[in-house]
């Protein structure tokens, strides 16, 4: 059988690697072959792969656990054994931070490595792992073109006022700007929005990406005009382990008067706060919603309160709202969270539909509601694969 062209996508995070394998079909359409997740990196690493129809084709524990390097090796081993009739033509990577320069995906990530390495300080949870994945593939298949798809790139259309901090110009010159993240997810929603709500696609939309990391993006005509994350992925909404917006005076206090080192502060902000910090026991929204603990209820209430406040700020930046879209793990699956965020938004013209919300929509606002609310699944892997194919085929 003649080989068909294949594209691998890799999305390496702090404790998981998501990957997908696509075949390039006629007309350069992409056909999903497999989607996989290696999570629990550390002591409890598990690989799970499903085919295009969602049927699980592989599920196993990695005995003795796995660090990132071993986890990646397991993914590449799986790949070698499951390519079938596909000849890989490229690998595409989600790279969280592209800095000020990258407004589009970039080919030849080898040459960019130094530049992207510097940005690890701005995305310590993700960037080093994306770069490790790029290195590993280079070693295994030195000839395979690799494409970096940046989570920051989608936001580079924002007006200057949305990108600047109120700091002296010299800091902006040195790249201390609001970048924003989850751009590949927002791009995925921007590409699908017209199928659900053509008026919103041409108008004003806020997309809430609520996963372990969480942010919101204000789009006008499907382009980003503002977002809740800033210089790093710490700003904005409360998240699984990160606090979201916090008075910078708190950080000064902890450093200067509470004996905290910068490394301890980083640990507090990236790993010990958010849902985990407030509940005291879990960053997993499913566990918190199922719990009777008062601290879990407070964590959930704070999460929804902060989301409503950030939404209000983005609606002000947009000068109004046509649609609100929920996406990612919590946004797509957690009906009580969507209800708590939407139920107090009548003032905004959003008439929430609780029954439709329980069914996960896709429309969760009532017929005739001036502002529509939607649940739309994101597909970052497909966005990465499309960019990768476009870049390598010029
Ligand atoms: P990541 O940012 O790692 O890609 P996801 O988008 O997968 O994360 O989102 C993970 C979050 O989604 C977790 O808090 C998880 O509890 C939550 N989640 C997933 N499914 C459900 C569900 N059915 N109900 C409530 N929360 C859910």
């Amino acid at each position: 059988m003649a080989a068909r062209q294949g594209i691998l996508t890799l999305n390496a995070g702090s404790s998981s690697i998501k990957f997908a394998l696509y075949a390039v079909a006629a007309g350069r359409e992409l056909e999903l072959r497999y989607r996989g997740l290696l999570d629990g990196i550390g002591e409890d690493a598990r690989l799970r792969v499903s085919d295009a129809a969602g049927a699980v084709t592989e599920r196993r524990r990695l005995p003795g656990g796995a660090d990132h390097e071993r986890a990646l090796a397991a993914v590449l081993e799986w790949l070698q054994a499951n390519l079938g009739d596909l000849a890989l033509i490229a690998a595409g990577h989600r790279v969280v931070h592209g800095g000020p320069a990258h407004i589009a995906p970039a080919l030849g990530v080898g040459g960019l490595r130094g530049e992207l390495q510097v940005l690890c300080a701005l995305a310590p949870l993700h960037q080093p792992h994306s770069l490790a994945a790029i290195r590993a593939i280079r070693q295994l298949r030195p000839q395979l073109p690799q494409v970096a798809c940046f989570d920051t790139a989608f936001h580079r259309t924002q007006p200057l006022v949305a990108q600047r901090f109120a700091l002296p110009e010299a800091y902006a010159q040195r790249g201390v700007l609001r970048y924003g993240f989850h751009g590949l997810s927002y791009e995925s929603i921007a590409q699908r929005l017209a199928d659900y709500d053509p008026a919103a696609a041409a108008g004003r939309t806020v997309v809430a990406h609520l996963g372990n990391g969480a942010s919101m993006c204000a789009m006008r005509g499907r382009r980003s005009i503002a977002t809740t994350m800033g210089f790093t992925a710490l700003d904005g909404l409360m998240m699984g382990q990160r606090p979201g917006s916090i008075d910078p005076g708190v950080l000064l206090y902890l450093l200067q008067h509470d004996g905290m080192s910068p490394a301890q502060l980083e640990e507090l902000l990236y790993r010990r706060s958010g849902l985990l910090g407030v509940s005291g026991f879990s960053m997993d929204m499913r566990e918190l919603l199922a719990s009777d603990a008062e601290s879990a209820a407070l964590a959930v209430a704070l999460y929804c309160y902060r989301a409503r406040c950030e939404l209000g700020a983005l609606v002000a930046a947009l000068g109004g709202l046509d649609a609100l879209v929920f996406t990612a793990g919590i946004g797509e699956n957690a009906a009580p969270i969507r209800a708590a965020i939407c139920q107090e938004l009548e003032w905004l013209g959003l008439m929430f539909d609780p029954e439709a919300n329980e069914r996960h929509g896709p429309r969760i606002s009532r017929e005739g509601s001036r502002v529509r609310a939607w649940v739309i699944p994101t597909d970052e892997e497909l966005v990465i694969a499309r960019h990768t194919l476009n870049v390598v085929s010029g």
Side-chain angles (χ1 to χ4, degrees):
M1 201 196 308
R4 288 181 61 184
Q5 295 182 327
I7 290 192
L8 170 71
T9 68
L10 281 167
N11 175 352
S14 55
S15 65
S16 71
I17 301 172
K18 289 182 189 157
F19 57 97
L21 185 60
Y22 292 87
V24 183
R28 291 183 28 186
E29 281 301 304
L30 287 163
E31 260 170 28
L32 179 70
R33 283 282 175 91
Y34 294 104
R35 198 184 276 285
L37 173 69
L38 199 155
D39 66 352
I41 293 179
E43 283 166 17
D44 192 24
R46 289 154 304 188
L47 175 68
R48 184 189 153 103
V49 184
S50 49
D51 64 16
V56 176
T57 58
E58 178 137 357
R59 192 200 308 252
R60 66 185 168 88
R61 279 205 135 69
L62 273 58
D67 58 10
H68 274 89
E69 208 172 313
R70 263 205 71 203
L72 197 59
V75 170
L76 296 178
E77 230 171 76
W78 171 88
L79 176 74
Q80 293 289 20
N82 290 277
L83 270 175
D85 65 334
L86 296 185
L88 273 194
I89 58 164
H93 300 264
R94 172 185 179 211
V95 175
V96 168
H97 217 305
H102 291 290
I103 57 168
L107 177 68
V109 280
L112 297 173
R113 231 168 36 214
E115 181 196 331
L116 300 180
Q117 193 76 43
V118 172
L119 296 169
C120 283
L122 306 192
L125 234 55
H126 295 90
Q127 190 93 338
H129 306 305
S130 315
L131 300 189
I134 292 167
R135 265 196 312 274
I137 293 206
R138 223 168 131 78
Q139 271 168 9
L140 198 77
R141 291 177 171 241
Q143 304 307 325
L144 187 70
Q146 298 198 64
V147 175
C149 302
F150 302 101
D151 248 340
T152 45
F154 185 72
H155 301 296
R156 301 278 62 75
T157 52
Q158 290 178 2
L160 183 63
V161 286
Q163 299 194 46
R164 266 296 292 268
F165 290 110
L167 289 171
E169 167 75 16
Y171 293 92
Q173 292 293 335
R174 281 168 23 208
V176 181
L177 294 165
R178 296 178 55 89
Y179 291 99
F181 300 88
H182 293 134
L184 298 166
S185 175
Y186 293 130
E187 206 174 332
S188 171
I189 300 300
Q191 286 170 3
R192 292 165 173 210
L193 188 56
D195 297 336
Y196 293 81
D197 192 331
R204 301 156 301 179
T205 305
V206 170
V207 182
H209 175 108
L210 309 179
N212 281 317
S215 70
M216 287 181 179
C217 176
M219 293 182 198
R220 186 177 289 132
R222 297 188 298 160
R223 287 159 77 98
S224 172
I225 66 125
T227 185
T228 56
M229 280 180 170
F231 181 57
T232 68
L234 284 175
D235 207 1
L237 302 176
M238 176 173 165
M239 306 176 219
Q241 295 163 277
R242 292 167 253 170
S245 298
I246 184 167
D247 174 355
V250 172
L251 314 184
L252 290 175
Y253 169 80
L254 294 176
L255 287 171
Q256 293 172 338
H257 302 288
D258 212 44
M260 212 177 235
S261 69
Q264 287 169 326
L265 187 55
E266 179 178 287
E267 167 82 7
L268 175 70
L269 295 174
Y270 277 101
R271 299 201 185 270
R272 292 203 290 120
S273 301
L275 293 171
L276 175 64
V278 178
S279 72
F281 69 92
S282 177
M283 60 181 274
D284 188 317
M285 189 57 91
R286 275 166 298 207
E287 284 178 24
L288 297 175
L289 289 172
S291 164
D292 295 332
E294 262 176 46
S295 65
L298 176 62
V300 170
L302 189 51
Y303 185 91
C304 298
Y305 170 75
R306 292 284 313 122
R308 280 200 305 277
C309 293
E310 294 283 342
L311 173 66
L314 290 184
V315 172
L318 276 170
L321 190 68
D322 298 305
L324 170 62
V325 175
F326 289 94
T327 196
I330 294 172
E332 291 169 31
N333 300 298
I337 300 300
R338 291 192 304 255
I341 294 173
C342 289
Q343 253 160 13
E344 290 177 30
L345 293 181
E346 283 87 2
W347 63 271
L348 189 59
L350 199 165
M351 311 305 281
F352 187 64
D353 182 339
E355 285 83 39
N357 183 51
E358 287 303 318
R359 300 191 297 271
H360 304 297
R363 201 183 70 200
I364 56 172
S365 54
R366 290 212 296 271
E367 191 70 46
S369 177
R370 192 177 57 70
V371 173
R372 282 83 61 196
W374 298 95
V375 179
I376 304 181
T378 187
D379 191 347
E380 291 162 289
E381 275 62 42
L382 183 59
V383 172
I384 297 170
R386 279 208 187 114
H387 278 311
T388 302
L389 179 61
N390 288 343
V391 168
V392 294
S393 48

